[in-house]
Amino acid sequence: MITAIVGINWGDEGKGRMVDLLTEQYDVVVRYQGGGNAGHTVVNDQGKFALHLLPSGIFRKGVVNILGNGVALDCESLWTEIQDVTGKGVSITPENLKISDRASLLLPWHRDLDSLEEARLADKKYGSTKQGIAPFYSDKYQKKTVMAGELLYPAKLWERLEGILEWKNLTLERVYGAKPYTMEDLRRWVEDFGEKIKPFICDTGAVLRKAQAEGKSILFEAQLGSLRDLDYGIYPYTTSSNAIAAYAPVGSGLPSARIDSVVGVVKAYSSCVGEGPFTCEWFGEEAEKLREAGNEYGAKTGRPRRVGPIDIVATRYGVQCQGATAIALTKLDVLSYLDEIPICARYELDGEEIDYFPFPSLLADAKPVMTSMPGWKCDISGVRRWEDLPKAARDYVEYVEKEIGCPIQYVSVGPERDAYIERA
Ligand code: GDP
C-alpha cells in the first residue's frame, strides 16, 4: 500500500497531525520535497513538536523515516532539529532515520542569498522564509551543489566544493557586494554539521525497493500545499519544488511507484503565510478573531498567518492537482464561535462569476463571491463520532465535500492525536 499525504491549499492545513495519526498504519514514511522552510506541528504523548525537515513518522516506534532525494537537505537545521527532538526523549538513530545519498545539500550561502535577494527586492519581495530554499533549488538544477552521499567521499567532495565556492563567490561579491566564503568556512561547516548527519546517509532507493518487495506500507509526506507547487501553484508566490503527489515517487527515491491513495488535507477555513494573492482574505477584527481561535501563527517564523473563510474554488483546484482520493478536514472546532459559517463559493472576475481557479496573473483581480451556512455554536472538540456532531456541522462538512468533489474521510476537532472523527 502506497499513500501520499498532501496539502490541498497554501500549506499549514494540519498535515503534521494527520501524518502523525496515519503513521500508525505505515512502515515507512518519506519526505519527498522541500526543506526546513515550513513546519508541521505535532502534538502527541511525547510532547508538542514543530517539525521542519524530519518526517512525522519519527515518533512511532518501528517506523523507518526517509529524507528522499527531492528534499533540500539543510544539515544545519536538520541537526538542530534532531537535537531538539531527541532532547525531548524521542530516539533518532540510523535505524529509524535514513537520508538519501542523492539528496542535494543546502549550502551555507543559500540562506545568505535568500536574505540578500529579498533585501534587494524590498517591497516587491515574495515572502521568502529566508531558509535558502529558492537559491538551493536553482543551484541544484544548475548542478552547483553536492549530494549528501558525496560527504562519504571527502577527496572528491573537496574538489567539487572548491569549484562551486569559486563560482558562488562571484555572485556574492559582484552581484550583492557581500562577503565571500572561504574553504576554511566550508571545512568548518562540514565538520560541524555534515559530519553529524553522515551516519544517516545511505542508498534509500534500495531501502524503499526492499520495503516495497516485502509488501511494507509506505507513506509519502508532502510539505506545503497544491497552491504553492512550483508548476501548478500561484507562481511566482510558490515554493521552489513540486509539492504535489505526482512528484512523490520521483522525490522519494521510488520513481516506479504507483500511488494507491492520496489523502488531501484541507483546513475548515483558509490560512496562508507569506505574500501572494489570497482571494478570500479577511482583515481587521474579523480576521483577528479567526486567527486567535485557530492560533494561526507560523510554526517556523511565528508570523501571524493571513486567514479567511474556506475557499471552495481554490480547494477544488487543489484537489484536482493532487488527484486526492480522500480528504481530511482539519480544525472544524475552530469555527464553533461563529453564528454563521462563511464560505467563498465562487470568484468574480471581470464582472463574471466563475467557479474555476484563474491563471495566476489574473488572481489578484478575482473577488470572492460569498455564501454562508448556519453555525453550531457549541464545543465540538470532544466529539468522536460523526453522528454526534451537531447537524449544522455535518451539513457544512457535506456541503464542502460535494463542492470539492472528493469524500471527506476524516474530520479533526482538536490538535491532540485522538481528536478526530473517521467517517465510514
Ligand atoms: P501543517 O504544517 O500542515 O502540519 O500545519 P500546522 O503546523 O500549521 O498545524 C496546524 C496547527 O493546528 C497545529 O498547531 C496543530 O496542533 C493544530 N491543529 C491540527 N488539527 C487541529 C484541529 O483539528 N483543531 C485544532 N483546534 N487545532 C488543530
Side-chain angles (χ1 to χ4, degrees):
M1 171 80 167
I2 300 185
T3 299
I5 179 153
V6 296
I8 295 294
N9 302 100
W10 296 266
D12 304 309
E13 296 92 347
K15 283 184 300 299
R17 61 112 54 216
M18 286 312 301
V19 190
D20 181 57
L21 177 70
L22 291 182
T23 45
E24 193 177 28
Q25 304 159 25
Y26 291 86
D27 303 304
V28 186
V29 179
V30 197
R31 273 281 310 269
Y32 61 87
Q33 47 78 228
N37 52 329
H40 284 330
T41 314
V42 176
V43 184
N44 57 31
D45 46 9
Q46 287 151 296
K48 182 173 178 181
F49 301 88
L51 295 184
H52 302 296
L53 206 46
L54 285 172
S56 307
I58 203 73
F59 305 109
R60 298 271 188 193
K61 280 211 169 65
V63 171
V64 174
N65 294 274
I66 294 180
L67 289 171
N69 49 281
V71 305
L73 196 76
D74 179 344
C75 309
E76 193 173 334
S77 73
L78 178 62
W79 182 240
T80 311
E81 199 176 324
I82 289 176
Q83 283 181 307
D84 179 44
V85 172
T86 51
K88 290 179 182 161
V90 179
S91 161
I92 301 183
T93 67
E95 289 306 303
N96 71 344
L97 177 67
K98 297 182 190 294
I99 297 173
S100 169
D101 53 0
R102 287 182 171 269
S104 297
L105 294 189
L106 188 139
L107 296 168
W109 45 70
H110 290 136
R111 224 185 294 271
D112 302 350
L113 284 166
D114 238 350
S115 301
L116 290 164
E117 180 57 12
E118 286 278 296
R120 190 189 70 81
L121 286 167
D123 58 345
K124 294 198 193 70
K125 63 185 191 290
Y126 295 129
S128 163
T129 53
K130 302 198 183 75
Q131 299 296 309
I133 304 298
F136 161 81
Y137 276 109
S138 356
D139 281 3
K140 172 176 170 173
Y141 287 95
Q142 288 199 71
K143 287 102 54 190
K144 297 284 198 203
T145 178
V146 292
M147 294 193 285
E150 292 182 67
L151 290 169
L152 306 175
Y153 308 102
K156 289 185 182 142
L157 171 78
W158 289 113
E159 198 185 309
R160 292 240 307 123
L161 278 177
E162 204 163 353
I164 296 173
L165 174 96
E166 195 186 313
W167 171 79
K168 189 50 82 182
N169 277 343
L170 290 175
T171 309
L172 283 167
E173 288 181 291
R174 297 199 192 167
V175 178
Y176 295 106
K179 198 169 150 268
Y181 274 82
T182 63
M183 284 305 279
E184 193 39 45
D185 295 332
L186 279 186
R187 254 188 212 105
R188 218 171 310 121
W189 181 81
V190 168
E191 219 161 86
D192 289 348
F193 306 108
E195 288 296 323
K196 302 286 196 309
I197 64 149
K198 244 160 100 172
F200 302 97
I201 299 170
C202 63
D203 178 356
T204 53
V207 175
L208 281 167
R209 285 192 297 278
K210 184 162 176 282
Q212 194 184 25
E214 289 170 354
K216 300 246 168 83
S217 51
I218 300 170
L219 185 65
F220 295 143
E221 176 183 6
Q223 176 225 34
L224 295 168
S226 320
L227 303 172
R228 299 288 189 198
D229 181 89
L230 178 61
D231 286 82
Y232 296 96
I234 52 172
Y235 190 87
Y237 301 100
T238 58
T239 193
S240 305
S241 62
N242 290 109
I244 55 165
Y247 183 73
V250 176
S252 292
L254 200 55
S256 61
R258 278 202 212 152
I259 303 177
D260 300 300
S261 64
V262 178
V263 179
V265 187
V266 175
K267 210 180 258 186
Y269 52 94
S270 300
S271 71
C272 162
V273 174
E275 311 290 322
F278 184 40
T279 311
C280 61
E281 183 165 12
W282 272 358
F283 300 94
E285 202 184 319
E286 214 177 19
E288 201 49 50
K289 273 195 188 151
L290 182 53
R291 188 174 299 120
E292 283 303 312
N295 191 24
E296 293 297 344
Y297 299 91
K300 180 79 189 179
T301 56
R303 286 190 280 187
R305 290 181 182 147
R306 299 158 76 190
V307 293
I310 195 163
D311 182 333
I312 295 292
V313 182
T315 305
R316 192 189 294 122
Y317 174 73
V319 165
Q320 287 164 355
C321 290
Q322 299 284 11
T325 55
I327 296 294
L329 187 73
T330 61
K331 299 187 105 169
L332 187 65
D333 55 302
V334 171
L335 299 181
S336 300
Y337 77 95
L338 288 160
D339 296 324
E340 286 278 313
I341 311 295
I343 297 162
C344 169
R346 281 182 298 283
Y347 289 172
E348 190 195 305
L349 189 63
D350 292 336
E352 210 181 298
E353 279 199 16
I354 57 167
D355 54 13
Y356 62 87
F357 195 64
F359 184 71
S361 44
L362 303 179
L363 256 182
D365 302 326
K367 308 262 176 305
V369 177
M370 300 298 299
T371 181
S372 73
M373 292 181 76
W376 44 92
K377 294 287 275 183
C378 62
D379 180 8
I380 57 168
S381 59
V383 177
R384 297 291 177 268
R385 293 189 315 178
W386 174 247
E387 55 273 26
D388 295 340
L389 270 182
K391 181 167 181 312
R394 278 184 279 138
D395 287 347
Y396 177 65
V397 175
E398 283 171 352
Y399 171 87
V400 173
E401 177 175 77
K402 188 167 133 280
E403 289 296 315
I404 65 176
C406 188
I408 296 178
Q409 190 180 347
Y410 303 93
V411 177
S412 85
V413 290
E416 303 81 18
R417 198 179 251 178
D418 70 338
Y420 75 97
I421 295 163
E422 186 167 2
R423 289 172 74 201

